Amino acid sequence: MNYTLFQLINGVAGRFDGIDDIMEFCAQDLIWVMLALLALLWLTGKTANQKLVFFSCLSAAVSLLIAGLVISPEVGHARPFVDHAVHQLIPHAPDASFPSDHSTFAFSVAFVLLFARRKTGWLMLALAAVTGFARVYVGVHYPGDILGAMALSLVVSYGVWKTSGRLDALPNFFIRVYRKLTSRLSFLPHP
């Protein structure tokens, strides 16, 4: 089923240059848009927003560590282009594909935001879903790699969100450092 769904999505790749270009951007660069949105949220200078950005990044970091150090080496699932003839639109190393790092990052950020701010969270969740779909479309991941990233991200993000009140000293430290720096650098926004 995983390969059948992959074929259905990736089978469209290579037919329409404009769509391919959009999917290549989404597969590789949409996470930069998400990072820019996080940066804008941080730069509001509001403590609640800055804590939210911190916990989103913490969730992403923990999820990526678990994926990279535990799950991926244990599962060792080959990428689609290693085992099959695919329409591969972007270059990628033939390393393990489960779970998708891009999707793990994107969903981790999105879920923490969704728990705290519904509108922003839904926007980020949509960007994460598009990122995951595009990773399949361009031929570097199976749909199961994206679903695995989503599940891991949801569990870790929920855990980070539920313990965030007990971890407030961490974001408070970074917020204080940021405020000290911005008070000395007039070009950065500060409260």
Side-chain angles (χ1 to χ4, degrees):
M1 183 174 173
N2 196 26
Y3 181 59
T4 302
L5 190 54
F6 169 81
Q7 286 179 303
L8 184 67
I9 297 167
N10 180 251
V12 180
R15 293 184 186 178
F16 307 101
D17 192 47
I19 294 174
D20 289 350
D21 291 342
I22 292 168
M23 287 298 168
E24 289 169 20
F25 171 81
C26 293
Q28 298 178 106
D29 299 321
L30 201 53
I31 61 170
W32 295 106
V33 173
M34 295 178 78
L35 282 169
L37 291 172
L38 285 178
L40 288 174
L41 201 57
W42 179 273
L43 291 174
T44 64
K46 296 179 182 176
T47 302
N49 288 347
Q50 292 174 328
K51 284 183 179 182
L52 194 53
V53 170
F54 176 84
F55 288 118
S56 293
C57 292
L58 179 63
S59 174
V62 170
S63 295
L64 286 168
L65 280 172
I66 292 170
L69 297 177
V70 179
I71 298 172
S72 194
E74 187 64 32
V75 174
H77 193 262
R79 292 189 182 271
F81 59 83
V82 172
D83 292 335
H84 308 283
V86 305
H87 299 108
Q88 186 180 350
L89 301 182
I90 61 172
H92 203 291
D95 55 355
S97 69
F98 184 87
S100 164
D101 289 341
H102 277 77
S103 295
T104 298
F105 171 82
F107 281 111
S108 294
V109 167
F111 282 131
V112 170
L113 288 169
L114 186 63
F115 297 145
R117 299 249 169 83
R118 295 284 184 214
K119 283 184 181 179
T120 307
W122 281 114
L123 169 66
M124 293 295 241
L125 195 58
L127 294 176
V130 169
T131 298
F133 180 84
R135 301 293 289 175
V136 176
Y137 182 95
V138 301
V140 296
H141 281 290
Y142 291 103
D145 301 337
I146 309 307
L147 292 175
M150 186 188 307
L152 171 64
S153 300
L154 178 60
V155 169
V156 171
S157 296
Y158 184 75
V160 166
W161 179 247
K162 289 307 269 184
T163 59
S164 62
R166 288 179 252 152
L167 302 173
D168 265 354
L170 291 170
N172 289 339
F173 168 77
F174 289 103
I175 292 167
R176 278 194 308 276
V177 169
Y178 169 76
R179 290 185 177 163
K180 283 183 183 180
L181 285 173
T182 57
S183 68
R184 294 185 180 145
L185 304 170
S186 61
F187 64 90
L188 289 175
H190 54 82

